[in-house]
Amino acid sequence: MKKVIVACGGAVATSTVAANKIRELAKKEGIPVEVTQCRVNELESKKDNVDLIVTTAKVKKDYGVPVIHGVAFISGVNIAATEEKILDVLKK
């Protein structure tokens, strides 16, 4: 089971959209995934045992796991490229 955290500024609106898209993508690809949501400022305390962090806010800090900017799920721009990056991590 892969573990993904989706983080945004408020842990409600944009992270919910992105989290749902990631769940759908993983299901379509047959990848078991657990997706949780949080605020960007909570990432440091929640990053342990996580395979991937997807953010809808700008994050420059290194958390020791891959971080993918998931604003494409909100804007609709470059969704395929973002999905490909996520799948690259989840398929490892």
Side-chain angles (χ1 to χ4, degrees):
M1 169 94 49
K2 296 292 184 172
K3 293 187 178 185
V4 179
I5 292 179
V6 181
C8 70
V12 184
T14 59
S15 66
T16 299
V17 171
N20 288 338
K21 295 285 189 182
I22 293 166
R23 286 184 190 102
E24 291 170 16
L25 177 65
K27 183 176 181 179
K28 184 175 85 173
E29 296 291 325
I31 301 169
V33 67
E34 176 185 316
V35 181
T36 58
Q37 294 166 238
C38 72
R39 291 181 179 92
V40 169
N41 62 3
E42 297 173 313
L43 281 172
E44 186 63 42
S45 66
K46 296 184 182 264
K47 67 179 173 48
D48 294 338
N49 302 314
V50 170
D51 298 291
L52 173 64
I53 296 171
V54 178
T55 68
T56 58
K58 294 278 186 189
V59 174
K60 294 183 180 182
K61 185 172 180 172
D62 182 357
Y63 293 98
V65 297
V67 176
I68 295 173
H69 191 55
V71 77
F73 295 126
I74 310 308
S75 69
V77 178
N78 292 326
I79 290 176
T82 301
E83 288 180 339
E84 190 173 315
K85 289 178 189 175
I86 290 170
L87 289 174
D88 285 347
V89 173
L90 296 182
K91 288 181 177 180
K92 288 182 182 175

